[in-house]
Amino acid sequence: MNIINRRRFLQVGSLASAAMMMPKFLKALERGELVPPGNKVLVIVQLSGGNDGLNTIIPYRNDIYYKERPALGIRRDKALSLTDELGIHPSLAGLKALYDEGSLAVLNNVGYPNPDRSHFRSMDIWHTASQSSDYWTNGWIGRYLDAQCKGCDKPTQALEIDDTLSLALKGEVSKGLALTDPTRLFGTSNNPFFKDLLRQHAHEEEHANVDYLYKTMGETISSAAYIQQQIKTYQSKEAYPNTELGRNMRTIANLIMSDINTKVYYVSHGSFDTHINQQAQQERLFQQLSDALTVFTGDLKKNNRFEDVVVMTFSEFGRRVSQNASGGTDHGTANNMFLIGGGLKEKGVLNEGPDLLHLKDGDLQYKVDFKSVYATLLGNWLGADDTAILKAKYEHLNFV
């Protein structure tokens, strides 16, 4: 094929591709949408370090709370009222607004049997959805990818906005992809060095471990190109906070509003390990969380995507009921979770607040297994076989 004919062939191919994509794009635009409705997405916000749930959702009518936290307890006139019994931290005003409009649910007393107070071990349990006595090497989202993505043409169904990939997104066969900046990833992946390596591999003898590494490299390069192409569809004009979380939520919003195949986004915020000077640190981190999620949810609403997105927050454990001598709290057990979205079936405070009368070794006792939250999101929201993914049957809740 000569150069002129080749150019004509490429032009025809490009026009044909554009013609095939145009009806879908125009139909979405007619409804004021960049992406057709129904593409369900889960956004997970990890509050790293063990967030103090008692100063997040505040039992401001409970005298025990103030007795155990004479200096650290949030005063009733400072807390933002949710119910007659419970308030929310004053730095979470944006989440209070979502609560008032019916877009936020609070789940109290979440944990698991035989809790572990080690950051690393407890986070592993949350990441893998294992029992505290089991040690698994793959995560619950990774196993979702294993189940849902056999034969998927692009391994971008789960993205973590970070430099490293969490255990939660590592499956036995499939893995999520970690990135902080799609454009930077695209530029790095197009370095001639990587392409030369791939070309050399094509002429080498097969070796399982080496082949796996080259396969991963090839998938990363392909994924980087796909993500870079899709993110051009939408660039938010909203004024996201100039914080790490604000920038990360902007990246997630840009991808959600594009026609990308990603179903799960994962981002971390913290550290909430507040052994000393808790008040100032938690206040600062909560303000960042509130500001970022306020702009993010507003962005989704303006683009008619809020109904199809659920945001879930979690932390590896809560803190002890009593304050310590350093103006902070030490590692505890049960905690609360936030669920945010326009498609929630249940809103508000979903269950009773913390039981401060029946502690175990000075800690709250869990009443909701976090794996029930996972099962609900996997089965009811993402349409997956949650029993197979979690390797056990857990009760479904009713929030979606």
Side-chain angles (χ1 to χ4, degrees), residues 70-104:
L72 200 58
I74 305 295
R75 286 169 30 196
R76 183 178 176 186
D77 62 337
K78 296 293 185 183
L80 307 177
S81 178
L82 300 180
T83 70
D84 289 342
E85 302 292 332
L86 300 171
I88 193 170
H89 193 284
S91 294
L92 294 173
L95 273 63
K96 170 64 161 66
L98 290 169
Y99 177 92
D100 289 341
E101 73 178 36
S103 300
L104 182 143

Side-chain angles (χ1 to χ4, degrees), residues 53 109-111 115 317-319 332-336 363-367:
N109 308 307
V110 184
F317 46 61
R319 316 296 290 192
T333 54
N335 210 342
N336 38 54
D363 285 321
L364 297 170
Q365 297 192 57
Y366 92 98
K367 296 182 180 179

Side-chain angles (χ1 to χ4, degrees), residues 72-262:
L72 200 58
I74 305 295
R75 286 169 30 196
R76 183 178 176 186
D77 62 337
K78 296 293 185 183
L80 307 177
S81 178
L82 300 180
T83 70
D84 289 342
E85 302 292 332
L86 300 171
I88 193 170
H89 193 284
S91 294
L92 294 173
L95 273 63
K96 170 64 161 66
L98 290 169
Y99 177 92
D100 289 341
E101 73 178 36
S103 300
L104 182 143
V106 178
L107 190 60
N108 294 300
N109 308 307
V110 184
Y112 56 90
N114 303 311
D116 195 298
R117 292 178 182 82
S118 160
H119 287 293
F120 303 105
R121 179 59 191 142
S122 191
M123 190 62 84
D124 278 355
I125 293 168
W126 277 83
H127 278 180
T128 61
S130 70
Q131 300 300 324
S132 57
S133 57
D134 295 331
Y135 290 79
W136 294 352
T137 57
N138 49 70
W140 70 285
I141 301 169
R143 295 196 301 276
Y144 163 77
L145 297 177
D146 286 341
Q148 299 295 111
C149 298
K150 292 178 181 177
C152 290
D153 59 339
K154 296 178 181 67
T156 51
Q157 287 78 14
L159 298 178
E160 181 165 6
I161 312 302
D162 205 336
D163 291 322
T164 57
L165 191 68
S166 298
L167 175 58
L169 283 77
K170 297 178 181 178
E172 293 183 7
V173 178
S174 302
K175 289 179 175 60
L177 183 66
L179 64 125
T180 53
D181 182 344
T183 300
R184 181 181 171 189
L185 176 66
F186 177 70
T188 302
S189 69
N190 275 272
N191 189 301
F193 171 75
F194 296 115
K195 292 187 175 181
D196 287 344
L197 279 179
L198 285 176
R199 280 194 293 269
Q200 292 172 20
H201 176 61
H203 304 291
E204 294 177 0
E205 294 183 2
E206 293 296 323
H207 184 281
N209 292 334
V210 174
D211 190 57
Y212 172 78
L213 291 174
Y214 278 101
K215 179 176 178 291
T216 301
M217 187 190 306
E219 288 179 345
T220 301
I221 292 172
S222 173
S223 298
Y226 173 62
I227 293 169
Q228 177 69 7
Q229 176 188 5
Q230 296 306 117
I231 204 169
K232 292 178 181 178
T233 307
Y234 178 82
Q235 288 292 311
S236 177
K237 295 180 174 61
E238 300 302 309
Y240 279 82
N242 189 26
T243 61
E244 183 177 3
L245 183 62
R247 292 187 291 272
N248 289 343
M249 296 311 295
R250 177 195 287 274
T251 297
I252 293 173
N254 287 340
L255 289 166
I256 287 176
M257 255 71 84
S258 73
D259 196 10
I260 198 168
N261 66 349
T262 306

Side-chain angles (χ1 to χ4, degrees), residues 11-36:
Q11 288 171 350
V12 171
S14 299
L15 289 171
S17 298
M20 290 176 65
M21 294 179 64
M22 183 121 9
K24 181 180 178 183
F25 179 65
L26 289 177
K27 287 178 183 178
L29 285 180
E30 286 174 2
R31 293 189 295 266
E33 301 156 356
L34 289 168
V35 181

Side-chain angles (χ1 to χ4, degrees), residues 310-327:
V310 166
V311 180
M312 179 197 87
T313 73
F314 84 96
S315 199
E316 67 263 37
F317 46 61
R319 316 296 290 192
R320 295 181 70 79
V321 172
S322 299
Q323 67 180 54
N324 61 28
S326 302

Side-chain angles (χ1 to χ4, degrees), residues 278-293:
Q278 174 176 305
Q279 201 165 45
Q281 184 172 346
Q282 193 179 42
E283 181 179 325
R284 175 179 57 83
L285 291 172
F286 276 170
Q287 192 66 59
Q288 292 176 0
L289 177 68
S290 181
D291 291 347
L293 290 182

